[in-house]
Amino acid sequence: MTRRVLILGGGTGGTLVANRLRRMFTPEQLDVVVVDLDDRHIYQPGLLFVPFGRARPSDLVRSRTRQLRPGVDFRRAEIDQVDLEGDLVALRDGSTLGYDALVVATGASLMPEETEGLTGPGWGAKAHTFYSLEGAASLGVALSRFERGRLVVNVVDMPIKCPVAPLEFAFLADWFLTRKGIRHLVDITFVTSLDGAFTKEVCNRELSSLLEAKRIEVVTEFNTGQVDSAGGRLVSYDGREVGFDLAVVVPLHGGASYVNRSPGLGDDLGFVPTDESTLQSKASPNIFVVGDATDLMASKAGSVAHFEGEILVHNLARFLDGQPPDASFDGHTNCFIESGFGKALLIDFNYQVDPVTGRFPAQWGLPLLKESRLNHLGKLAFESIYWNLLLPGRDIPTVPTAMPLTGKHLVAVTG
Amino acid sequence: MSDATYAGRTVAVDPEGFFVDPEQWTDEMAPEIAAEVGIGELTDRHWQVIKFMRHEYEQRGAGPTVRVLGRTSGVSIKELYELFPKGPAKLAARIAGIPKPRGCI
Ligand SMILES: Cc1cc2nc3c(=O)[nH]c(=O)nc-3n(C[C@H](O)[C@H](O)[C@H](O)COP(=O)(O)OP(=O)(O)OC[C@H]3O[C@@H](n4cnc5c(N)ncnc54)[C@H](O)[C@@H]3O)c2cc1C
């Protein structure tokens, strides 16, 4: 009998899981169905470059269905609710889809409405975001007109997609304004809810000295309660203020809204409690979760969705076969951090091992936690790897799913 | 790791003063920890948050973030900042004797 795996969301994680499953099972063995709202797949890492004129919005968008292997069914619809008891998904168009196994891959959504001043008239006067395609484009216009004053980059609160992207934005702004010859007329301030530029110790140290060298001021433990775009100030819940002439704000993130309409599926923020090792939902063994939709202590990054994909598909196949899961995800995350002037850093870590210096994936490889031209080329190469290897669900040569220890300068963790 | 003494008993705390073993915590210790972090008197509203932190920790094994507290504890984020100035999630976790809330990455 043909069974069905229903995949909610056709972004990075949904697409690569669908393609891996389609290669593994014949259409007679398994129906693979993907549901998404539209047919526009956005290469989100490219959003960072749009405000600096280094990427054109239209170049970041491709057809979703074209990224799916023949034999994967695509349903264009809005997901309304999951009925965990009945193994049924209700769509907004009134139809329902049953499943033998479900894959939640609906990512993280921006929730600007949760912060006073990030929606409605006036937002956009002096405050922008680059976390959406429209936002990145309009920020580009504002940045090209920006000539002097204070530029503020603000992360309202964690978790966010690609937690290093706001730092990268600050580094690139420093480079962009220097090249324009107006850096000396601009103060750049990075305002974060965290108690450092980054949560991980060694990484925080390296990034802090880089920020200092680039004369980017850091304001920590700032919990933004209001963004007064017209008045040009961020106001924190404890009454502190940071003034700006141009603000780049990363709004709060949450899970897709249907998650909280589906009893038992999500946590308070709409993310899906997930077994950190098997990638099964804690609510039910026939629900698997990939990418930004999970509540895992791994970064919300495309590289993570890629590493999870291999593990998830293996465990899902075992589940369909009546076997217990036996592959385990180690939390492997790999991120380039663009630092401007044609350079970038690379970090590679997992649940257990924090980002450290050394080389990746081994002695001969890319320098870790150190600015280099090679890493910048790696970052640029990621776009082609994304469309041609990651989304098709292929392995990336020399990049293993389990985090490699060789090449890393491990430090003893104290405490 | 080091020791601290609250309500006449010795407990293990991490370098930032968070309890290593939440089981060692008792209600009587809360006012002393609060005084240490500059909070004078614990009102009913403070206690509502402290109890909530304990409950969340027992349920999920980790203390909630400010954002989750604001949504679920029955105390608004604004008031949380009035009760526990500077960092409600961190301060309330310390007073409630649970480990430091894990940052997201
Ligand atoms: C500015 C920026 C820079 C980034 N840079 C990097 C980087 O350099 N490297 C890196 O690895 N990662 C980067 N990322 C992160 C990366 O893009 C994401 O982690 C990745 O795309 C997550 O994949 P996903 O499948 O979980 O979610 P997504 O790819 O976002 O897919 C979720 C899908 O679910 C669909 N959906 C949601 N709700 C519904 C519904 N109710 N009904 C139907 N469909 C629905 C959406 O339409 C979407 O297509 C960046 C992200 C941003 C925003």
Side-chain angles (χ1 to χ4, degrees), chain A residues 8-15 35-38 40-48 64 75 77-80 91 104-110 130-132 161-162 164-165 168 253 256-258 261 290-294 299-305 334-336 379 382 386 390:
Chain A
L8 303 182
T12 313
T15 301
V35 186
D36 205 303
L37 289 169
D38 56 33
R40 290 160 50 83
H41 188 127
I42 299 172
Y43 175 63
Q44 297 178 52
L47 295 174
L48 172 67
R64 277 188 206 292
R75 276 291 290 267
E78 184 180 346
I79 300 147
D80 187 36
L91 304 176
V104 177
T106 32
S109 315
L110 306 183
F130 65 99
Y131 266 58
S132 68
K161 301 193 243 193
C162 195
V164 293
E168 295 181 276
H253 287 36
S257 54
Y258 78 87
R261 285 195 299 273
V290 66
D292 298 351
T294 73
S299 287
K300 300 198 179 299
S303 61
V304 173
N334 182 284
C335 296
F336 289 105
K379 174 104 185 173
F382 187 63
Y386 182 86
L390 210 123

Side-chain angles (χ1 to χ4, degrees), chain A residues 114 199 223 237 253 268 297, chain B residues 67-68 71 81 90 103 105:
Chain A
E114 286 202 19
T199 37
N223 222 289
Y237 279 110
H253 287 36
D268 297 320
M297 289 302 289
Chain B
R67 206 177 142 202
V68 172
R71 284 186 170 207
Y81 271 95
K90 259 163 72 171
I105 47 165

Side-chain angles (χ1 to χ4, degrees), chain B residues 6-9 25-34 42 47 95:
Chain B
Y6 299 116
R9 253 173 296 165
W25 182 88
T26 60
D27 281 20
E28 298 78 61
M29 299 179 178
E32 289 183 26
I33 311 171
L42 292 179
W47 274 107
I95 299 169

Side-chain angles (χ1 to χ4, degrees), chain A residues 247-260:
Chain A
V248 179
V249 182
V250 180
L252 293 173
H253 287 36
S257 54
Y258 78 87
V259 173
N260 282 138

Side-chain angles (χ1 to χ4, degrees), chain A residues 290-337:
Chain A
V290 66
D292 298 351
T294 73
D295 73 335
L296 297 179
M297 289 302 289
S299 287
K300 300 198 179 299
S303 61
V304 173
H306 165 75
F307 297 132
E308 288 170 343
E310 183 184 329
I311 309 282
L312 185 154
V313 166
H314 178 93
N315 285 342
L316 199 160
R318 300 220 358 135
F319 172 80
L320 292 173
D321 205 22
Q323 306 286 321
D326 67 354
S328 128
F329 179 55
D330 65 355
H332 190 188
T333 305
N334 182 284
C335 296
F336 289 105
I337 308 175

